[in-house]
Amino acid sequence: MKKISIVVLGCLFLLLLVGCNNSYRDRVDELEYENQTLRSQLTELQNENKSLKDSLADRNLRISDLEKTISELEADLASSKTLIADLTAERDALRLEVAELLLKIAILDEQIATLLGRIDNTVFVYFTFGTLPTLYASLHFLSHSNPSYVFFTRNDTFDVAQMPNHVTQIRDVTYGTLPSSEIAEIARETIAELEEAYHSPNFHFFVDDLRVLLPYYALLRNEIPESRFRITLLSDGVGTYGGMFTGNGVDNRFVGANGFNNWRDRRTDLNAFWLPLISSENQLTAANYEAILLNFDLAYVASQRTNVEYWMQFPEFGLLRDDVMPEVRAELLRTNLVKVMPFNMLDQLSQTRRDIFFDATLGNPSFAVDEEVSLRTMLDGLFDSEKPVMIISGTHSGGVSGGGYGVPSFLTALENIVATFGDDYVLMYKPHPSWNSSLSGNQPVIDFMAENDIFILPPRLPMEVLMWAYPNVFIGGYSSSLYMSARVEQVRFSIGNFATGGINHNIMYVLYQFGFFADMDYAF
C-alpha cells in the first residue's frame, strides 16, 4: 500500500514537470516574437532617422547657398539702386521726347492735311444759329483740314478761341443782335471774299434747316454756278420734324388729305424765292430778307435738289407716320435725307480732335466755376462720386414758371424727382439756354436746388456734349431735342407728356412708341 502511494506521487510529479516545461516553451516563443517585432520597429526608426538626417543636411546646404546669395545681393544693392535711378531718368527723358515728337507729328499732319484740302479746292462755310447745328458744324470741321469759315451765333456752344488752324471765325456775334438783312449781307460778302482769295473754289455751305435760302442768296448773288457748290442743311432739333409733320390743323403740313398739295406748294414757294436770287439786279425787300432767315418749311423740298443734302437724326420719321399720303412718301424717298448721329461723328474723330472738341465745349472759359477750376475739372470730380449722376433738364422760362407740359409746376415735379432719386443719385439741373436766373419766378427753384444740394449747370452748356463726354450719366426732364442725341439707356424719366398726346404730337412721342425710351421708368 505504501509502495503504491509512492508510485502515484511520482507520476503526479512527472506530469507536473511536463506541464511546466510546456509553459516555459510557450513563454519563450512569445518573447522571441516580441523581440522580432521590436527589432522591426527599431529598423523603421533607424531608417526614418537617417531620412531626417539627410533632409537636414539638404536644408543646411540650401541655407548656406541662400546666405551666400543674400550676401552677394547685399553687396550689389548700392550699385543696383544707382542703376535703377539712372534707368528711370532715361525712361522719363525718352517719354518726354516721344511726347514732343508726337506733337510735332500732329502739327505736320495738320499742315499736310491743310495743303491737301487746298489742293482739293473745296472751301467750307458754316452759318449756324442753334445748338444742335453748331455741334454738327464743329464736329464736321474737326473731321477735315480744308479751309473753313464759321459764323456761330451760339458762341458759348463752341469756344471759337480753340478752333484749329484751318478754321476762321467770320464775325463775333451773339444770337439776336443782328437784323436778318445784315446777316444775309455778311454771308454774301464772305462768299465774294473767298471766291477771290481761293480763285474760284468749290464751296460747301452748311446752314440750319430753318434758313434754306441763306446759302442760295450768298452764292447765287456772287454768280457761283451750282456746279461749284453743295449745301448741307443741319437739323435744328424737334422743329425739323414737327415743323412739317405736326398735323395740328395748319394748312401747310405734309400730313392728311392735303399733304401732297402742300408739298407741291412748298416746291413752288422755293422756286419763287430761289429764281430771283440768280439775278444780282433783283433788289430784296425787308420781307424777303426775313424769308431768307426763316423758311423751315422749304427744307424737305430743297433736299430733292441734287446738290443739297439734309442731315437729321431720324429721317425715317415721316415714313413711320400713318397719316402721310403715299404720294408724300414717294416724295420723301426722292429727298437727300441723311441719318447723321452727332455722337457717331465724334467717335470717328482722332483722339487729338476729340480733345479739342471737349475742351472747346465743356472746357469753355465762359463756363468756369471760378478762376481756378474749369467746369470740366469740376464735372470730373462729381462723376468720380460713388453715386451715379442724374441730370434734370429744364425748358423755356414760360414752361418752368407757369407749369405746362402736363405738370402742375416745375417745383412740384422737382419735389417728386428728389423723393424718387435723391437718395441714390447725385442730382444736377441743366436749365434751358434761355433760362434767366434773375427772373423772380425762378428764385423758388434756385432755393430748392440749394436746399437739396442740386448743382445748377450753365444754361448755355451743350447738354448733348455732356452726355457724350460722360456716357454713364442718366437724364430726364422736359421734352427737348437733346433727348434725340441720348443713348437709349441714359433716359430715365420725363416731365410731362413724352408718351401722351397721340402720334400727331411730336417726334418724342413717336420715338417713345417705337421703343427709343425703353428704359424711361418714370413720368412726373
Side-chain angles (χ1 to χ4, degrees), residues 28 34 36 65 92 104 108 150 165 172 185 370 379 425 433 439 445 501:
V28 169
E34 183 177 352
Q36 183 179 356
D65 292 340
D92 292 342
K104 292 179 180 179
L108 287 173
V150 302
N165 293 333
D172 184 9
E185 292 309 316
D370 54 42
L379 288 173
Y425 293 85
L439 295 177
V445 172

Side-chain angles (χ1 to χ4, degrees), residues 166-220:
H166 69 284
V167 183
T168 302
Q169 185 182 24
I170 296 171
R171 179 90 169 262
D172 184 9
V173 298
T174 303
Y175 184 76
T177 59
L178 292 178
S180 300
S181 58
E182 188 170 347
I183 294 175
E185 292 309 316
I186 290 173
R188 183 186 61 77
E189 292 168 2
T190 297
I191 294 298
E193 293 170 0
L194 297 178
E195 172 76 357
E196 181 178 357
Y198 290 96
H199 309 293
S200 301
N202 296 316
F203 288 99
H204 194 157
F205 201 119
F206 288 75
V207 69
D208 301 54
D209 56 359
L210 303 182
R211 298 164 176 87
V212 176
L213 294 176
L214 180 62
Y216 278 115
Y217 177 74
L219 292 159
L220 296 179

